[in-house]
Amino acid sequence: MDILNNIKQPDDLKLLLQNQLLQLAEEIRKLIIDVAAENGGHLASSLGVVELTIALYKVFDFPTDKIIWDVGHQAYAHKILTGRRDKFHTLRKKGGITGFPKITESKYDAFGTGHASTSISAALGMACARDIDRQTYKVVAVIGDGALTGGEAFEALNNAGALKKDIVIILNDNEMSISKNVGALSRYLDKIRSAPEYTKVKKDVGTLLQHLPKVGDRVYKTASLLKDSIKNVLVAGNLFEEMGLSYIGPVDGNDMPKLIEVLQGINNMQGPVLLHVITKKGKGYMPAEKKPDKFHGIGRFDIQTGESLGKISNIPTYTQIFSEMLLKMAEVDKDIVAVTAAMPGGTGLTPFSQKYPERFFDVGIAEEHALTMAAGLAAAGKKPFVALYSTFAQRGYDQILHDICLQNLPVTICLDRAGIVGEDGPTHHGVFDYSFLRNIPGILMMAPKDENELRRMMYTAAGCKSPAVIRYPRGQACGVNLDAGVQTVDIGKAEIITESAGDTVIIAVGTMVHPARKAAQRLSDEGIACSVVNARFIKPMDENMFAELGRTKRFILTVEENVLAGGFGSAVLEILSRNDAMPPKIKCMGLPDQFICQGARSELLQENNLTAEGIISVIRENSIK
Ligand SMILES: Cc1ncc(C[n+]2csc(CCOP(=O)(O)OP(=O)(O)O)c2C)c(N)n1
Ligand SMILES: CC(=O)[C@@H](O)[C@H](O)COP(=O)(O)O
Ligand SMILES: [Mg+2]
């Protein structure tokens, strides 16, 4: 790490010679691989942009100039170069460096990211503010070909082309989203990439631009005209040019000297410029180059073999249960179709896509579109299952409300990664869905206590003629035996898990039912008798049962893996108050009104008392003797 050790601040690399910069790239790559192998992380995307990151720091003056990394999962080299090298071994750990840019972590993180397709909007906002303030700094957005499939990116391009502000958009095209990129835009980028004569001429123009004097000079105008005429001859109707952006590229984004040359030219240009770079996802680490999807986001792995080092378990994940159950149901019910927003692997829909390609839709990183498209499928007689991560479904609130629920369309929304997700941290925890969905009239919202119940809820949803949501967490299910045949659950009916004559009842939902049951078992040994209820439904709730509990018990404890604000406990309180059934004591356990940090899921649940021990201590403190 001879070179990297001497980079104390990014400006230090401006003095390096070309061969030193190339060595720096190798040193950064090694550090990224070492740390990701130990901590897990977004390896392949970060490896692909090492040269691009160094080239950007060589040419621009960050943090005076601003850089925004779309999604932000590729920003490891940026972090290493901006004073976080010594702490980089803490990446994604509790209290450590975050896996995404974070405005409070460094002055070089101009804008926090985690969810896709926001970078151009944010860059445009900064450019407008800069111009109001009569400043001259540059604003650069780096967006991947996957993130460019998101609607917000198109909205921003549309606006950028009209406003004509000085911004630099770097389209980092590695032909991959998490899986293979999809859509017409992706095909369009293929077409640009595979036009060799165009590539060569445009590269030469890139070189020419580099030698230009400042904007406004006649030479600059001539070069721009030349570029336009090349465009017209070779790629009629270049989409980006037609939208009002200057398109440069494609350029080999792993060729650092070439990139530096082109970026120096672009630094002298005015107006919105889009530089199209082609990079190799996973560059420099063979297992990741070969399997960029596996190494997109990976847990601990063996550097020599690329094999995962995670615990091997026979217990399936909730995602696997969802995946298998959907296949089973789809075999019988030909109206079942599946929709994902660029996450076929993560949501467990890959087997469905292989078995039923005509009934499967990967729409790209476009959650809003996925939901309204599902509404359309349902309006035309299909039974869509839309599988989204809870955190990304936040994007689709109006589509759920206006397009699905208001029209009472039978769309089933399966919210994977609900609750605390772990090391991805606050951008990715799915801890708001009870609160933001339960206020929608007519919605059916369920959370299973285990994998068996997930299957039953899916079966129930498929038989419903109205919108349904099922939310389940990241990772392993409970390891219970699966029923031979799958039954429906009675809509709006809670399940009594443990009945006792004692004064205390725990009403738990979803992932919190098992810790509640465990807590009750242990408390009964201490002579504290508790009943346990599995609420099953966030909406409609078992109003009669909960009102009765309010009248007959003296202490009700609700437990949920969601923020308390507006969540499940709040819904129980509403029922008790509506029915004049308030018991002498009621407490709600859940997540506080703040963003939850990163860390292992088990660690964060423990910290927030959402464990059997946490429940026991609250009951011990509050039970009425
Ligand atoms: C709104 C939203 N939906 C889904 C995701 C999950 N996700 C993270 S990265 C990614 C693929 C991004 O592809 P690209 O922008 O091309 O970057 P690459 O990983 O190829 O560098 C997806 C789908 C997300 N972060 N945000
Ligand atoms: C960056 C991003 O949004 C995804 O890569 C996400 O980290 C995937 O999470 P899982 O690992 O839970 O699939
Ligand atoms: Mg990509």
Side-chain angles (χ1 to χ4, degrees), residues 45 73 144-147 172-179 181 281:
S45 308
H73 62 317
D145 54 320
N172 172 34
D173 179 4
N174 54 20
E175 299 178 65
M176 292 292 291
S177 190
I178 293 181
S179 320
N181 201 11
K281 197 160 174 170

Side-chain angles (χ1 to χ4, degrees), residues 510-526:
T511 50
M512 289 298 111
V513 175
H514 274 284
R517 189 205 315 244
K518 235 175 159 181
Q521 272 162 5
R522 301 229 311 253
L523 283 165
S524 83
D525 298 342
E526 289 180 23

Side-chain angles (χ1 to χ4, degrees), residues 439-517:
N439 56 16
I440 301 179
I443 204 164
L444 168 65
M445 187 172 195
M446 306 176 259
K449 68 173 186 294
D450 59 30
E451 54 268 53
N452 230 343
E453 208 162 65
L454 171 58
R455 291 175 5 136
R456 296 185 64 187
M457 287 174 175
M458 289 175 69
Y459 191 50
T460 307
C464 267
K465 301 221 171 335
S466 54
V469 177
I470 311 171
R471 72 103 89 164
Y472 43 93
R474 186 173 200 268
Q476 267 174 3
C478 301
V480 299
N481 290 330
L482 296 177
D483 293 342
V486 181
Q487 309 274 312
T488 55
V489 279
D490 287 344
I491 291 179
K493 292 280 174 243
E495 177 194 28
I496 296 172
I497 302 262
T498 315
E499 199 158 18
S500 90
D503 276 335
T504 301
V505 58
I506 312 169
I507 308 179
V509 65
T511 50
M512 289 298 111
V513 175
H514 274 284
R517 189 205 315 244

